[in-house]
Amino acid sequence: MPRTDRQTRPLAATRFPPAEIADVDPLELYEQIEVLRTRENATILAHYYQGGEIQELADHTGDSLQLAQVASRVTTGTIVFCGVHFMAETAKMLNPEKRVLVPDLLAGCSLADSCPAPRLAELQAKFRNAGRRFQTVSYINSSAAVKALSDWVVTSGNAVKIIQRLPEDCEILFVPDRHLGGYLEEVTGRKMILWNGACQVHETFSVSDLLGMKRHLPDAITVAHPECPANIREHSDYVGGTQGMLKYVLGFNESKDFLVATEANMLWQLQQSSPQHRYHPVPGVACACNRCPYMARNTLTKLRNCLQYGMPEIAWKASFDRAREVLQRSLLD
Ligand code: SF4
């Protein structure tokens, strides 16, 4: 049985908890996590792109917007965020007084990394010097420093609503995802200046494999995330964020085949929510499964360790103050 008293913290003075310990029985880990969750008065949040074994034991699962909103309502003193770094930062910004722990501090995001704040600040200064009137809209998949430079922060769930209410006489600089930006241009009819960033998972879906799957399953329905390139979106029956996908699929009572163009762990959540259907992941060009390598850094062992040792923890940064203001007005209205 695991020891659950606070004396079991031999590494508390070090920055990182012990690395992955191999050969641990998953059931034993589940039991340990249950005990530690209670001991630490913690709420576990998990993104839909986490492995099913983590989503299964989370208190709440969701997309970025849902988890940001849930994070603002939790009553426990500690939040354990199973997702990637920018998501945990967002939870901390919305809950400055709470302790926010993550299983792995190195769970980053290629999309967030594609827009470094100093380069964005440079472009904004160039626009201002040229007398251009513009507002900066950032996708939530961005660093705190980028959010702090923005007028609005959007998710795939609320982006259309926010873009539609921006004044017509003002240009929109959209960062960092050029594919989501292109999709939003199509839906809203607003031309935007698009940052040249992309998600390494959604960018690599293979259109030829998708067409091959459609030939094999001609009655299948294709659902795609708006982070996918236009050549995938144009062959899709539904384009929307993960929460929208769940609702769309739920609307079909009869059993159907769905071809799913988003991170492959989403299939677990779809299966839980609408088990009457069959789900087929659209493969990528380089990888047959399309799993996000950053999300995959989080494991049950690391989740157990972060609860046990109280680290890694998201520390407050200077950029969080301004980013928090932007987030609150964008997400919580
Ligand atoms: Fe970032 Fe793409 Fe992974 Fe999402 S799936 S965390 S956007 S790299």
Side-chain angles (χ1 to χ4, degrees):
M1 281 294 287
R3 292 183 61 194
T4 57
D5 58 283
R6 282 172 188 273
Q7 290 165 0
T8 58
R9 293 184 169 186
L11 297 181
T14 64
R15 189 155 172 245
F16 297 104
E20 192 80 13
I21 300 163
D23 302 326
V24 183
D25 176 2
L27 283 178
E28 199 179 316
L29 274 173
Y30 266 62
E31 280 172 21
Q32 292 173 1
I33 290 166
E34 283 310 326
V35 170
L36 290 164
R37 171 172 21 204
T38 306
R39 182 189 89 178
E40 297 299 318
N41 188 25
T43 300
I44 300 175
L45 307 183
H47 192 271
Y48 290 144
Y49 293 168
Q50 290 293 280
E53 73 287 358
I54 291 180
Q55 293 193 56
E56 179 113 54
L57 58 69
D59 295 290
H60 301 279
T61 54
D63 62 9
S64 307
L65 175 60
Q66 281 175 305
L67 292 179
Q69 288 168 334
V70 167
S72 308
R73 291 197 298 267
V74 302
T75 53
T76 58
T78 296
I79 293 171
V80 180
F81 206 112
C82 301
V84 294
H85 190 258
F86 75 80
M87 297 176 182
E89 276 191 338
T90 305
K92 179 67 182 176
M93 284 174 219
L94 296 172
N95 297 275
E97 75 294 348
K98 290 196 192 299
R99 180 172 68 147
V100 177
L101 304 176
V102 289
D104 189 327
L105 260 188
L106 298 179
C109 169
S110 65
L111 182 52
D113 291 348
S114 67
C115 184
R119 276 185 48 212
L120 174 60
E122 211 178 295
L123 183 66
Q124 290 174 320
K126 210 165 120 190
F127 283 4
R128 280 192 204 100
N129 292 340
R132 290 168 73 165
R133 190 162 175 264
F134 68 98
Q135 292 197 15
T136 304
V137 177
S138 298
Y139 188 29
I140 197 164
N141 296 34
S142 52
S143 68
V146 163
K147 289 183 177 80
L149 289 170
S150 305
D151 298 289
W152 302 98
V153 173
V154 298
T155 68
S156 50
N158 73 352
V160 170
K161 192 177 85 180
I162 288 188
I163 287 168
Q164 278 172 337
R165 72 184 189 209
L166 297 186
E168 288 290 338
D169 61 345
C170 147
E171 292 184 276
I172 300 173
L173 170 58
F174 185 84
V175 305
D177 189 345
R178 66 176 183 275
H179 298 304
L180 175 63
Y183 168 73
L184 292 169
E185 285 186 329
E186 285 163 26
V187 174
T188 63
R190 283 295 296 265
K191 191 82 193 119
M192 303 192 287
I193 305 148
L194 305 181
W195 190 269
N196 191 21
C199 157
Q200 72 181 64
V201 176
H202 289 90
E203 189 167 55
T204 59
F205 285 112
S206 159
V207 73
S208 62
D209 283 345
L210 172 59
L211 295 177
M213 291 171 85
K214 280 171 164 282
R215 279 193 295 276
H216 182 62
L217 292 168
D219 295 330
I221 298 166
T222 304
V223 294
H225 196 281
E227 287 172 26
C228 293
N231 64 357
I232 294 290
R233 297 197 310 267
E234 73 194 20
H235 292 292
S236 301
D237 301 287
Y238 174 81
V239 178
T242 47
Q243 190 55 29
M245 253 179 221
L246 284 167
K247 274 195 199 148
Y248 177 75
V249 164
L250 201 57
F252 293 85
N253 294 326
E254 268 174 50
S255 175
K256 299 268 180 202
D257 286 288
F258 284 92
L259 311 182
V260 183
T262 192
E263 211 273 357
N265 280 314
M266 184 62 196
L267 271 70
W268 185 89
Q269 188 61 235
L270 286 163
Q271 192 69 52
Q272 303 301 306
S273 166
S274 299
Q276 71 273 30
H277 304 311
R278 293 169 299 281
Y279 303 99
H280 311 270
V282 177
V285 174
C287 163
C289 68
N290 275 316
R291 289 193 195 274
C292 171
Y294 306 101
M295 292 278 182
R297 292 190 69 90
N298 296 327
T299 62
L300 285 178
T301 305
K302 289 179 187 171
L303 171 55
R304 187 276 313 271
N305 288 350
C306 88
L307 275 164
Q308 183 163 5
Y309 299 103
M311 65 179 81
E313 180 178 355
I314 300 291
W316 192 265
K317 290 187 207 156
S319 57
F320 284 15
D321 290 311
R322 159 78 185 151
R324 174 179 153 83
E325 276 175 42
V326 183
L327 267 172
Q328 281 184 316
R329 93 171 105 90
S330 304
L331 301 184
L332 305 179
D333 67 350

